[in-house]
Amino acid sequence: MADLLKVKDLHVSVEDTEILKGINMEIGAGETHVLLGPNGAGKSTLGFTLMGNPAYKVTKGDIIFDGESLLKKRVDERARAGLFLSFQSPYEVPGISLDSFLRNAIRQSTGKPLKYHQYKTDLKEAMEILHMDESYLERDLNVGFSGGEKKKTEILQMLMLRPKLAILDETDSGLDVDAVRTVSEGVEAYQKNRDGALLIITHSTRILDSLTVDRTHIIVKGAIVKTGDASLVDEVNENGFAKYIGK
């Protein structure tokens, strides 16, 4: 399987402090990779860097996505190329309804007029998966939403936009058991039906219970210290990160 994403010797600094120290990673189309690590290890930094947040400066290395370097591409260009990032704390956007946001996001990502009937059909299916009432569509984006509602809205965007690679940054953070289960159903639907790749960034593993994981990476102090298959998730659940922190 051809690599969709290649991260090559990636070094990243924030305000002159080096956070990522030579990250190498390859993700194939349709694969699910998990990035685990203790707090402060650099997990979110990698996600923000892949998406092009200007606060994160690449000082060495490259990011190749779908055959092209991303280093000179803006955030919107990366999104149109097929990248998606789900935030730990989704932003509230007063004055823009969820429905308006979704329709505009789809038009911007495809560069084509919206096929309204297909949009409504896909939207109904995605909202049913996430157990979301249609009344959410008229509410301002994330305004007054609970933590679980915000995370479901993020996954709804992912299902509707159908990115080539979705980066989920601590999507299960702060969610109760029922909300994690619902969000996991949405991620599972994306994995099974959309043929998209996933990079799931987390320090917990609850969201992984219903997913097929191809590769697992452990990051400590800005460097990947171990890569393995799905069994590595079980090892971390049982033993934590202690054996890797000293490396």
Side-chain angles (χ1 to χ4, degrees):
M1 181 179 294
D3 291 321
L4 176 65
L5 176 75
K6 288 185 180 181
V7 179
K8 303 166 63 176
D9 193 26
L10 188 67
H11 292 248
V12 175
S13 294
V14 178
E15 296 182 349
D16 298 324
T17 299
E18 188 174 50
I19 307 298
L20 299 184
K21 305 169 183 178
I23 299 294
N24 290 285
M25 181 183 294
E26 297 180 357
I27 300 178
E31 291 183 349
T32 294
H33 287 229
V34 176
L35 184 65
L36 298 172
N39 291 332
K43 301 186 301 295
S44 294
T45 295
L46 179 58
F48 284 125
T49 302
L50 293 177
M51 203 67 222
N53 188 317
Y56 298 82
K57 182 180 179 181
V58 175
T59 58
K60 184 180 178 183
D62 204 352
I63 303 167
I64 308 297
F65 182 70
D66 212 8
E68 294 186 8
S69 175
L70 293 179
L71 295 189
K72 294 184 179 180
K73 293 185 181 294
R74 302 186 307 269
V75 174
D76 61 305
E77 292 173 322
R78 299 183 192 207
R80 283 195 292 272
L83 275 176
F84 174 89
L85 174 63
S86 172
F87 295 100
Q88 288 187 43
S89 301
Y91 295 103
E92 296 186 359
V93 186
I96 299 178
S97 70
L98 174 58
D99 185 47
S100 295
F101 177 83
L102 286 172
R103 286 188 279 112
N104 186 60
I106 292 170
R107 283 194 294 263
Q108 291 293 325
S109 66
T110 63
K112 300 176 181 179
L114 186 72
K115 296 181 178 179
Y116 190 71
H117 177 73
Q118 188 63 54
Y119 165 76
K120 295 296 289 185
T121 300
D122 293 343
L123 184 60
K124 184 175 185 296
E125 176 188 338
M127 294 188 79
E128 287 177 351
I129 291 170
L130 294 168
H131 311 294
M132 295 179 71
D133 188 89
E134 288 190 4
S135 62
Y136 281 97
L137 295 172
E138 302 309 316
R139 295 173 63 181
D140 286 359
L141 180 62
N142 291 328
V143 176
F145 285 24
S146 67
E149 290 171 334
K150 288 181 179 180
K151 296 300 178 70
K152 286 195 288 185
T153 298
E154 291 273 281
I155 300 305
L156 177 65
Q157 293 171 38
M158 179 183 72
L159 291 175
M160 294 299 294
L161 289 170
R162 304 184 181 188
K164 295 177 182 177
L165 172 62
I167 305 163
L168 306 185
D169 186 11
E170 306 283 5
T171 299
D172 54 350
S173 176
L175 300 185
D176 61 29
V177 173
D178 291 333
V180 170
R181 185 178 298 113
T182 299
V183 167
S184 296
E185 288 173 3
V187 177
E188 184 180 13
Y190 167 82
Q191 184 187 56
K192 289 183 176 180
N193 301 326
R194 313 296 183 180
D195 196 31
L198 282 162
L199 175 58
I200 301 175
I201 299 171
T202 185
H203 64 265
S204 173
T205 58
R206 295 181 300 167
I207 197 172
L208 306 177
D209 290 344
S210 61
L211 302 179
T212 299
V213 174
D214 295 293
R215 301 293 284 170
T216 305
H217 313 272
I218 295 178
I219 184 171
V220 175
K221 298 178 181 178
I224 292 179
V225 297
K226 178 75 173 180
T227 292
D229 58 19
S231 65
L232 192 52
V233 173
D234 297 326
E235 179 192 316
V236 169
N237 277 336
E238 184 174 349
N239 303 312
F241 299 110
K243 65 182 288 186
Y244 300 107
I245 290 176
K247 291 191 175 183

